[in-house]
Amino acid sequence: MLDRSRGPWTLPLFVAVIAAACARGGPEHAPTANRLVDQFDPKLVEGSSDKTARPIPRTEWRFDAPPPTPPPAPPAPGASPALPAFPATRGWEAGPGVSGLAIRDGRLVGRTTSDFPIVRVERTTGLDNADQLHAIEVRLSVSGGANLQATTRPPGAVDLKLEPAIATRVPWNFTTPLIAGKDVQTYVITPATPLSGARIRTVLIRPTDVAGAEFAIESVRLVFRRERLAEVPSGVSWQGLRDIFRETLVTRSPETVRFPVTLPSRPVLDLAVGTPEEEPVTFKVAVRRGDRDETVSSQTVTTALRWERRVVDLAPYAGQAVTLSLEATARPGTIAFWGAPVVRQRADREAAGSGPPQGVILVQLDTLRKDHLDVYGYERPTAPVLRALAGEGALFTRAISQTSWTKAETPSIMTSLYPSTDGVWTIRDRLPASATTIAEVYRAGGYATVSYSAVAFTGQLTNLHQGFEELHELDSAVGRTGPRGGKTAREFVDRFSEWVGDHRDVPFFAYLHFMDPHPPYEPNRPFDTTWADPKGRAEFVRQMETLKASVQDAFLAQRGMATPDELAKAGIDPPAYLRYAKDWYDGSILGMDVEIGRLVERLRGLGLGERTVIAFYADHGEEFHEHGRMWHGQSIYGELINVPLILWGPGHVAKGVKVEELVELVDVMPTLLDLSGLPAPAAVQGQSMRSLIGGGGQSAFQRRPAVAERQPMGGTDYPNAAESYAIIDGSWKLIHNVARPPEKPEFELFDFEKDAYDQKNVAAEHPDVVERLGKLLDGFSKMARSARLKSDSEAVKGMSKEQLEQLRSLGYVK
């Protein structure tokens, strides 16, 4: 929830939450956190900077000559970074839906023959420029259509013929309305998710969305961050280096920013520093007492686009009112990033008492089936660590996810709101800035907050960086996530181990998203051969390649996800194919489980084993032909929404508890806040499970039905257009299929206790149950929709220009 009463350059604060946190048990239970980004005011800046001291080269395609043949080779690996020259390239070609592409009068002209025309331009210089892309600028005229779109592709082969089909599942991330006519218009389109220049080799332009239109492109330009920052004054914004983002104070040499602060009894300054420029920058922190500055930290950064963490001990000034100064020294105009500078209070490790946990961690185990864990009865020992942790904590046997894919489920977990209320369903949807996330509550309570996102859905694309001081996007781990990418547990445990070492003495909240069980299933070594026969690998890979020509859905075809009929059509035995896929899947679970063991070992080694609570859960499961498909997101059947949930926290969660009560993942957020002594936002739709895990709590858990939703994800084909809602009450589960193919019934009723995978529809035998649960489901739908969050366009009405620009600079509002 945003506090819009503050002036420019302030972050959202929750005064009521802070007051409650500070009142819950004295300073040892609520260590202070003075975030300098919250205190920033332009009046605190001393010195001046010539922002135009050096011209910034532009990356641009202009169409006043034929394309080079062949295009220049990309820079050799290890070449020194260099900004792209002007122009970037003259390489271009027509894709599907475009005819007559040619240069005429300095413009690239053509005619569209479909509603998804594609023009491809190739970047051949500046590929080692890893600065963040701010926007794509396109100057063109077009005779008809409603929207202009663009997307980028990394180095490697691009199959233009597949692009329109794939875009129906994964929409292009640059889009803006068109102004049709003869005049050339300038369109500046910002990306929906962060994008590093090093990941851009190809730019695809969809000049319009109708057939039969004439278009003329005058230029295409990539606007990088350095250009953008040259246009705005120093201040607070959300900045990333190599796809690791922080709440950042941006200054330019020779500016100094001074903050008057009263230091706590055990003070440290926690921050990271870096620069997007190829210039040495010296970051100096000083403390002024009276009229004299005392330097407490000086660090010179010579490597661009890399954060360097610092923890500055301020103990000699404990309890004093001082002025902290941040000064970056470099060539005039050089940009300096001060990442999430916070004055924190170290905890008293010798203090007695059993207060709230010092650390709280969400561990999201993507695409993990409950019935593939030995703690839930699986025959293979896929997760001995999770089994042991469940024995030390609480195991939930009947936990329900609110939907069946990550994009829609993660906001539900982070806000304790059902998807119908938070409004996140399609890839384009963003969590409204009016939502209050669990990270925002912990941040307001004085906790250090960090997120490790294994997919764009759980980062800035969905506005799920709200409340985090630091966010690691997936692209920050490129090349370090397994043989086919996506095995993030090992890399993220490595990073978190370092981070928590720096935060061992302060309260912290962390979100770790482990993608390991998600397709592609092939595990890291040695787990790739734990259950899968290595002699069968080549044949399985060959079969996956064969399926690219046999699977109707282009998106699923690229991932080897096929129906039994599609497998048979390709000459592949469905049971054998599934068997090998499951062997790899189980190996990925085991590899992830080992990393979970390392995570807990690290906490115990730091003395945090009995000071931390962890929630382990899957956001959804995976279908292996139980209903004729592979993958997830297509339904809300049991294999996708019956998920594992374990709460572990010695001293905070009772040992060996087996919870058979029906719970939902929306209950996780209020439970953790309850354990931490922090009030849950009034809008939450879940409830605390603390009374179920031997932790007491303010009130007993109230038994109620569980609900799952599946709304259309875009497109008109099934299952993308499917709309279904499920309610589980007692031993019954009812699914109402609102939008469905003709052969699918409107209502399906299953015995929830005996039919875990929803195989036998007994609706005809129990019309009274269908009627009763149908009424309950209608009542839920009305409640969830009546509480729908305001959209950002509604929420920002009445805000000042400065306040709106601040929200945009943080990425909360696009």
Side-chain angles (χ1 to χ4, degrees):
M1 187 69 66
L2 300 176
D3 178 0
R4 300 183 182 90
S5 64
R6 303 291 298 273
W9 305 117
T10 60
L11 289 167
L13 298 175
F14 306 92
V15 177
V17 173
I18 295 174
C22 293
R24 75 181 194 270
E28 296 306 325
H29 290 163
T32 59
N34 188 338
R35 293 177 173 83
L36 302 187
V37 293
D38 290 348
Q39 308 304 319
F40 178 79
D41 187 291
K43 296 177 183 178
L44 300 175
V45 180
E46 299 177 0
S48 61
S49 171
D50 182 1
K51 298 192 294 294
T52 60
R54 286 166 287 158
I56 300 174
R58 306 202 318 176
T59 302
E60 186 172 27
W61 288 262
R62 300 191 66 88
F63 304 103
D64 50 10
T69 306
S80 59
L83 286 170
F86 170 89
T89 179
R90 292 190 174 93
W92 50 266
E93 70 170 309
V98 173
S99 66
L101 193 66
I103 290 177
R104 187 178 305 132
D105 298 327
R107 295 177 184 173
L108 191 63
V109 302
R111 180 178 178 83
T112 65
T113 59
S114 75
D115 63 359
F116 208 110
I118 297 176
V119 175
R120 173 181 180 269
V121 292
E122 183 181 8
R123 188 175 177 214
T124 58
T125 62
L127 290 169
D128 50 1
N129 172 25
D131 196 11
Q132 293 290 316
L133 181 68
H134 171 69
I136 294 179
E137 178 191 279
V138 182
R139 286 183 47 81
L140 88 160
S141 63
V142 63
S143 62
N147 295 287
L148 164 70
Q149 288 184 298
T151 193
T152 64
R153 295 289 180 257
V158 177
D159 190 337
L160 294 179
K161 294 179 180 179
L162 287 178
E163 288 289 344
I166 293 175
T168 63
R169 296 288 296 267
V170 185
W172 287 12
N173 56 354
F174 295 81
T175 184
T176 189
L178 276 173
I179 302 174
K182 295 182 179 180
D183 295 336
V184 173
Q185 306 287 339
T186 301
Y187 300 93
V188 179
I189 325 170
T190 57
T193 188
L195 192 59
S196 166
R199 300 280 292 164
I200 303 173
R201 176 62 182 270
T202 295
V203 179
L204 304 180
I205 307 293
R206 184 185 181 187
T208 183
D209 51 10
V210 297
E214 306 285 346
F215 65 86
I217 303 175
E218 183 178 285
S219 64
V220 178
R221 186 161 75 95
L222 303 181
V223 182
F224 286 97
R225 174 174 48 189
R226 280 189 59 205
E227 291 182 70
R228 168 62 178 165
L229 291 178
E231 300 171 355
V232 298
S234 297
V236 175
S237 57
W238 184 252
Q239 298 293 340
L241 299 174
R242 298 287 182 182
D243 292 293
I244 299 174
F245 293 79
R246 286 178 166 88
E247 299 172 342
T248 302
L249 173 59
V250 182
T251 67
R252 298 174 181 83
S253 177
E255 293 172 339
T256 299
V257 189
R258 300 188 186 276
F259 296 91
V261 296
T262 298
L263 298 176
S265 59
R266 292 179 297 280
V268 294
L269 175 63
D270 177 18
L271 79 163
V273 296
T275 177
E277 305 207 54
E278 295 296 329
E279 296 284 339
V281 182
T282 299
F283 293 82
K284 185 171 73 172
V285 179
V287 176
R288 172 173 289 185
R289 289 188 295 185
D291 58 356
R292 191 167 70 92
D293 283 341
E294 300 175 14
T295 299
V296 292
S297 174
S298 182
Q299 180 176 2
T300 299
V301 171
T302 59
T303 300
L305 300 168
R306 184 180 72 185
W307 292 109
E308 298 186 18
R309 188 187 302 279
R310 297 286 288 174
V311 178
V312 182
D313 189 2
L314 299 176
Y317 312 95
Q320 301 181 35
V322 301
T323 297
L324 282 180
S325 66
L326 307 180
E327 177 187 359
T329 304
R331 191 161 67 166
T334 300
I335 296 168
F337 286 173
W338 305 82
V342 185
V343 176
R344 304 193 192 277
Q345 164 82 315
R346 278 197 177 113
D348 184 354
R349 301 302 295 267
E350 298 180 358
S354 57
Q358 178 185 332
V360 177
I361 306 174
L362 283 178
V363 179
Q364 183 163 314
L365 312 171
D366 203 299
T367 322
L368 178 61
R369 283 181 64 131
K370 171 182 170 181
D371 62 349
H372 276 248
L373 296 177
D374 47 322
V375 71
Y376 287 101
Y378 192 45
E379 64 271 15
R380 286 175 171 172
T382 53
V385 172
L386 282 178
R387 185 176 68 247
L389 295 177
E392 297 174 6
L395 175 72
F396 292 79
T397 64
R398 299 175 23 152
I400 302 299
S401 175
Q402 273 49 76
T403 189
S404 59
W405 72 304
T406 303
K407 172 71 180 187
E409 178 57 30
T410 308
S412 189
I413 295 165
M414 293 288 199
T415 63
S416 188
L417 300 175
Y418 292 99
S420 286
T421 299
D422 66 43
V424 178
W425 278 111
T426 71
I427 288 178
R428 293 191 187 282
D429 292 336
R430 285 170 52 84
L431 182 70
S434 59
T436 300
T437 68
I438 185 172
E440 287 179 295
V441 179
Y442 276 110
R443 182 188 187 278
Y447 288 64
T449 57
V450 65
S451 172
Y452 300 87
S453 172
V455 68
F457 296 161
T458 56
Q460 296 171 75
L461 177 67
T462 313
N463 207 15
L464 286 177
H465 62 301
Q466 288 188 179
F468 286 110
E469 298 168 332
E470 180 178 334
L471 165 67
H472 295 234
E473 292 275 18
L474 175 61
D475 277 355
S476 70
V478 168
R480 298 190 294 275
T481 54
R484 294 175 179 267
K487 309 305 172 187
T488 58
R490 180 181 296 173
E491 176 67 18
F492 285 167
V493 167
D494 283 348
R495 296 188 190 192
F496 177 72
S497 294
E498 179 182 355
W499 185 92
V500 76
D502 290 334
H503 295 84
R504 71 180 73 185
D505 295 323
V506 300
F508 62 86
F509 170 74
Y511 169 74
L512 292 97
H513 181 193
F514 295 163
M515 200 77 164
D516 298 49
H518 192 283
Y521 300 129
E522 185 172 7
N524 289 316
R525 293 179 179 176
F527 309 104
D528 56 337
T529 58
T530 302
W531 290 289
D533 183 353
K535 296 178 181 178
R537 182 187 184 279
E539 174 60 17
F540 187 73
V541 171
R542 184 197 68 78
Q543 291 175 350
M544 286 196 295
E545 289 298 315
T546 300
L547 289 172
K548 291 181 180 180
S550 304
V551 176
Q552 184 176 0
D553 187 307
F555 175 85
L556 296 178
Q558 296 299 105
R559 291 154 178 80
M561 302 285 110
T563 67
D565 288 344
E566 289 167 337
L567 286 166
K569 182 180 177 181
I572 300 170
D573 178 44
Y577 186 81
L578 272 191
R579 193 159 47 246
Y580 204 90
K582 289 181 180 180
D583 289 344
W584 267 358
Y585 178 76
D586 290 347
S588 288
I589 296 172
L590 180 59
M592 178 179 67
D593 188 71
V594 171
E595 302 305 327
I596 291 172
R598 290 180 57 229
L599 168 66
V600 174
E601 285 175 354
R602 177 62 169 162
L603 293 172
R604 286 171 168 155
L606 293 172
L608 295 170
E610 295 187 357
R611 305 168 75 99
T612 303
V613 169
I614 308 179
F616 299 97
Y617 61 90
D619 51 353
H620 58 81
E622 182 81 330
E623 184 181 340
F624 289 124
H625 288 172
E626 286 83 4
H627 290 88
R629 293 177 178 270
M630 298 178 70
W631 199 250
H632 45 268
Q634 62 265 23
S635 75
I636 43 178
Y637 291 124
E639 61 271 19
L640 296 180
I641 67 165
N642 299 340
V643 294
L645 172 62
I646 297 169
L647 292 183
W648 177 84
H652 304 282
V653 178
K655 181 179 181 180
V657 176
K658 190 173 185 179
V659 180
E660 297 183 354
E661 189 72 63
L662 183 66
V663 302
E664 303 174 277
L665 290 190
V666 290
D667 299 330
V668 171
M669 173 181 173
T671 302
L672 296 179
L673 294 178
D674 190 3
L675 288 168
S676 300
L678 292 171
V684 300
Q685 293 169 327
Q687 59 177 316
S688 174
M689 302 178 290
R690 189 175 180 183
S691 62
L692 300 178
I693 57 175
Q698 297 179 352
S699 59
F701 185 84
Q702 300 296 311
R703 181 173 297 174
R704 86 295 199 200
V707 176
E709 311 176 62
R710 201 281 180 193
Q711 292 194 15
M713 296 162 60
T716 58
D717 62 316
Y718 183 81
N720 289 337
E723 182 177 358
S724 302
Y725 302 88
I727 186 166
I728 301 165
D729 186 35
S731 62
W732 294 110
K733 174 179 179 180
L734 178 72
I735 297 179
H736 184 192
N737 297 305
V738 178
R740 62 196 186 281
E743 69 276 7
K744 196 174 188 68
E746 181 179 1
F747 291 100
E748 298 175 276
L749 183 68
F750 304 100
D751 186 323
F752 178 67
E753 300 296 340
K754 299 178 181 178
D755 188 4
Y757 305 119
D758 303 334
Q759 296 294 294
K760 184 180 180 181
N761 179 13
V762 296
E765 292 97 312
H766 301 279
D768 56 328
V769 178
V770 172
E771 181 180 8
R772 178 177 66 84
L773 294 184
K775 290 180 180 178
L776 284 176
L777 196 52
D778 287 343
F780 160 80
S781 295
K782 291 177 182 177
M783 177 279 296
R785 283 176 167 78
S786 67
R788 184 74 174 262
L789 296 177
K790 288 184 178 180
S791 66
D792 287 344
S793 59
E794 295 174 301
V796 301
K797 290 179 180 178
M799 295 179 64
S800 69
K801 180 180 178 182
E802 291 80 9
Q803 288 171 324
L804 183 57
E805 179 58 32
Q806 171 63 3
L807 295 181
R808 284 176 173 158
S809 72
L810 293 168
Y812 286 5
V813 173
K814 290 292 185 182

